[in-house]
């Protein structure tokens, strides 16, 4: 199993998008929220995306209201908020749960792969290499710019055949 085995609808669409579409890219997978103290991290995530997307990097955002209901109920409102306030153009997926029996299966997989006990809050981040291997977990307090050197290192690595 790998991150490529999961599919989810985009935030403003109904068709499932396979994460296999991001094969051979370095990924930063993040659970997000629009009304959280860490929400300004959207700006840093967008900057990383703009800086490195042409080198094979993508940020994948998964909005959630699992922690104090800090996400809009309406997907369109979330998309508009992210675009207007932070210029977000990286892929955002439908709102999903980050804890309990309904946890998004991708995040359950990421937690299991990193040995992290659980998603602790909004803006937990998981770095995935070009082969789909989960490399690192970063908590909410880790700012996107603090991950940049790790992204640069992974972008230089070859894809295993």
């Amino acid at each position: 199993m790998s991150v490529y085995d999961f599919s989810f609808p985009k935030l403003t669409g109904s068709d499932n998008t396979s994460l296999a579409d991001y094969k051979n890219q370095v990924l930063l997978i993040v659970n997000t929220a629009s009304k959280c103290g860490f929400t300004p991290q959207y700006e840093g995530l967008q900057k990383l995306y703009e800086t490195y997307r042409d080198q094979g990097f993508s940020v994948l955002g998964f909005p959630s209201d699992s922690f104090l209901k800090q996400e809009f109920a309406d997907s369109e409102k979330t998309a508009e908020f992210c675009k207007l306030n932070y210029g977000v153009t990286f892929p955002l997926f439908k709102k999903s749960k980050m804890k309990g029996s309904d946890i998004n299966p991708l995040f359950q997989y990421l937690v299991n792969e990193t040995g992290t006990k659980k998603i602790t809050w909004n803006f937990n981040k998981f770095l995935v290499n070009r082969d789909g291997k989960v490399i690192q977990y970063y908590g909410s307090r880790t700012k996107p710019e603090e991950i940049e050197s790790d992204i640069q290192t992974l972008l230089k690595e070859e894809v295993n055949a």
Side-chain angles (χ1 to χ4, degrees):
M1 180 170 242
S2 80
V3 296
Y4 304 133
D5 295 320
F6 297 93
S7 296
F8 302 96
K10 292 268 182 88
L11 184 61
T12 55
S14 58
D15 293 339
N16 272 354
T17 298
S18 172
L19 296 193
D21 292 352
Y22 300 96
K23 213 169 198 168
N24 301 326
Q25 291 188 34
V26 173
L27 302 174
L28 188 61
I29 301 173
V30 186
N31 69 310
T32 62
S34 297
K35 300 181 267 184
C36 173
F38 295 111
T39 300
Q41 287 189 20
Y42 268 127
E43 186 176 338
L45 294 169
Q46 179 63 28
K47 184 175 181 200
L48 288 173
Y49 178 66
E50 288 174 3
T51 301
Y52 298 106
R53 68 178 166 203
D54 292 339
Q55 297 174 46
F57 170 75
S58 193
V59 174
L60 305 180
F62 288 81
S64 176
D65 66 358
S66 292
F67 304 100
L68 299 179
K69 304 285 186 204
Q70 295 182 335
E71 187 54 78
F72 298 108
D74 180 85
S75 293
E76 297 293 330
K77 182 123 177 138
T78 299
E80 180 182 354
F81 173 86
C82 291
K83 180 71 174 160
L84 290 177
N85 291 287
Y86 298 101
V88 170
T89 59
F90 58 81
L92 293 170
F93 293 84
K94 288 276 191 222
K95 185 168 65 172
S96 54
K97 300 290 182 194
M98 293 296 149
K99 61 183 182 178
S101 60
D102 293 336
I103 187 173
N104 175 314
L106 170 63
F107 282 83
Q108 184 64 63
Y109 171 77
L110 295 168
V111 163
N112 291 342
E113 286 296 295
T114 59
T116 306
K117 294 192 185 337
K118 62 183 179 177
I119 302 297
T120 58
W121 198 253
N122 304 308
F123 290 89
N124 281 205
K125 303 159 205 66
F126 296 86
L127 189 59
V128 177
N129 74 7
R130 291 183 188 271
D131 296 317
K133 183 175 188 283
V134 185
I135 300 299
Q136 184 68 43
Y137 160 80
Y138 307 92
S140 303
R141 295 187 186 281
T142 303
K143 296 176 182 168
E145 55 270 21
E146 295 172 35
I147 302 170
E148 190 166 11
S149 64
D150 293 345
I151 293 167
Q152 290 170 341
T153 298
L154 292 180
L155 286 170
K156 291 175 188 169
E157 291 181 357
E158 297 283 325
V159 176
N160 288 329

